Amino acid sequence: MDVQIRKIAWGAPSNIVAYHSTKVGGHSTGIFKSSNMSLDVGDNPKNVKKNRDSFSKQLNLLNNPVFMKQIHSSTIRKVTKPNENLVCDSCYTSVPGLPLAVLSADCLPILISSTDGKKIGVIHAGWRGLSNDIIQKFIKRFAVNVKDIVVWIGPSINPENYIVREDVFNKLSSLSTKYFSKTKEMGAWYLDLKYVAKVILKDLGVKKIFLENLCTYDNADIFYSYRRENQTGRIATIIWIDSNDN
């Protein structure tokens, strides 16, 4: 069964194409049932390859998507050709027909495009990446005027399901305490990852921001969630510049 994919509707130029997968369909079994896209979570690599191939074939991609080996860093790479050994949590390209992929369960999958449709990028951002300024570093490396950038923030865990402790609070509260709301438990807070990213982008001057409000924790039928299941799969979000667009 083919991996289920959904087209992303956002404010990007017409030549920028983006889709994300769900956990429906595919070939993974057990705790990874059934469309896991990650090679780094313990799933059978043969099943992951079948899932990735299903994604690519449905979209008639000219090149295999560039999948990052994500390590919760703030490392950003420029990509000019297909690469299977990219260790980072963000990358960008201006090469038409070269898809970039970001894997996620509860963390933020972020897509970026220039409004002229000539440059794209992806970011994987959890609390570690956000506290290490991955968004700020990306915008600087992307080298596009912030007024000419459009951003999509994808499905991730919503704050009512994301409780963090003092270690996370201490790192992110130095940026702002407005990202947090108190729980009934001492030393525990709800954290709104989407809001953190949105505020950072707005503070940088980015105005065109689109949010997908679906919660990965709540929607167990279509999304994986690390907080819900601990060891689990990842969906993929893919973006590319359509070389055939006129």
Side-chain angles (χ1 to χ4, degrees):
M1 183 178 176
D2 279 334
V3 169
Q4 184 183 76
I5 59 175
R6 295 182 171 184
K7 189 170 185 178
I8 298 170
W10 56 314
S14 61
N15 70 314
I16 303 301
V17 190
Y19 284 81
H20 71 75
S21 64
T22 72
K23 65 186 286 189
V24 178
H27 302 271
S28 296
T29 60
I31 59 174
F32 304 108
K33 186 179 180 180
S34 57
S35 62
N36 169 50
M37 293 286 177
S38 175
L39 289 167
D40 300 313
V41 294
D43 194 4
N44 185 324
K46 291 181 180 179
N47 290 337
V48 177
K49 185 179 186 304
K50 288 178 182 177
N51 293 338
R52 291 184 176 186
D53 287 346
S54 171
F55 203 149
S56 296
K57 287 176 182 177
Q58 289 183 73
L59 296 173
N60 297 313
L61 299 180
L62 298 176
N63 295 292
N64 288 329
V66 175
F67 284 92
M68 303 176 289
K69 183 177 176 63
Q70 299 168 185
I71 55 172
H72 294 281
S73 68
S74 59
T75 302
I76 302 154
R77 301 292 187 207
K78 181 179 180 181
V79 182
T80 56
K81 59 185 179 181
N83 189 328
E84 296 181 356
N85 299 297
L86 205 64
V87 181
C88 59
D89 284 84
S90 178
C91 62
Y92 64 95
T93 190
S94 56
V95 179
L98 180 58
L100 306 180
V102 55
L103 300 168
S104 61
D106 291 328
C107 290
L108 302 173
I110 302 175
L111 304 181
I112 305 95
S113 171
S114 59
T115 54
D116 64 5
K118 293 182 178 179
K119 207 170 188 180
I120 56 169
V122 297
I123 301 173
H124 164 251
W127 70 264
R128 292 178 185 85
L130 293 171
S131 66
N132 288 318
D133 299 337
I134 190 169
I135 292 177
Q136 295 93 322
K137 292 173 182 175
F138 177 90
I139 295 300
K140 184 176 181 179
R141 282 284 299 274
F142 200 52
V144 172
N145 190 304
V146 289
K147 295 179 181 178
D148 300 319
I149 289 175
V150 56
V151 177
W152 177 83
I153 301 171
S156 57
I157 193 166
N158 283 354
E160 62 269 21
N161 297 311
Y162 193 39
I163 297 175
V164 297
R165 305 293 171 178
E166 287 189 19
D167 57 336
V168 178
F169 179 82
N170 290 338
K171 289 188 177 182
L172 277 175
S173 62
S174 61
L175 301 176
S176 176
T177 56
K178 60 188 175 184
Y179 305 140
F180 299 89
S181 55
K182 291 182 179 180
T183 69
K184 295 179 180 179
E185 183 183 348
M186 182 71 69
W189 294 263
Y190 297 112
L191 172 60
D192 191 338
L193 289 174
K194 292 187 182 81
Y195 183 61
V196 177
K198 185 177 180 180
V199 169
I200 291 171
L201 287 162
K202 282 193 167 185
D203 286 349
L204 291 169
V206 178
K207 298 186 182 299
K208 297 168 184 155
I209 305 168
F210 295 81
L211 292 177
E212 172 56 76
N213 289 316
L214 283 173
C215 177
T216 48
Y217 188 98
D218 281 339
N219 291 276
D221 55 332
I222 55 173
F223 295 125
Y224 298 107
S225 170
Y226 181 82
R227 275 293 174 113
R228 188 182 63 235
E229 297 155 337
N230 196 4
Q231 187 177 13
T232 190
R234 303 290 187 272
I235 66 164
T237 302
I238 294 180
I239 183 172
W240 72 95
I241 302 168
D242 188 353
S243 57
N244 296 317
D245 188 88
N246 294 317

